[in-house]
Amino acid sequence: MRESRLKGIKDFMREEEGMGTVEIILIIVVLIGLVIIFKTQLRSLVETVFEKITKDSKTVMS
């Protein structure tokens, strides 16, 4: 009886390791989907930020 309990606990621990991998893959898929959906908005935001950084760095250097 005790051995079957220990075996059950060991099996449960093994299953949990695999679950973490599946969760990470799902999170990556969701993030990639969000990047694809908001690609133009993200590109516009990044370009605006870099333009401002370039503009401000020129004023500092002058």
Side-chain angles (χ1 to χ4, degrees), residues 26-51:
L26 288 174
I27 290 169
I28 291 170
V29 167
V30 168
L31 289 175
I32 290 172
L34 289 172
V35 168
I36 291 171
I37 291 171
F38 296 108
K39 183 179 176 181
T40 55
Q41 289 91 344
L42 287 171
R43 183 176 291 168
S44 173
L45 176 66
V46 170
E47 287 175 357
T48 303
V49 168
F50 278 115
E51 285 173 5

Side-chain angles (χ1 to χ4, degrees), residues 1-10:
M1 180 79 169
R2 184 175 178 182
E3 290 177 16
S4 66
R5 259 192 227 161
L6 290 175
K7 186 176 184 303
I9 291 172
K10 287 180 184 177

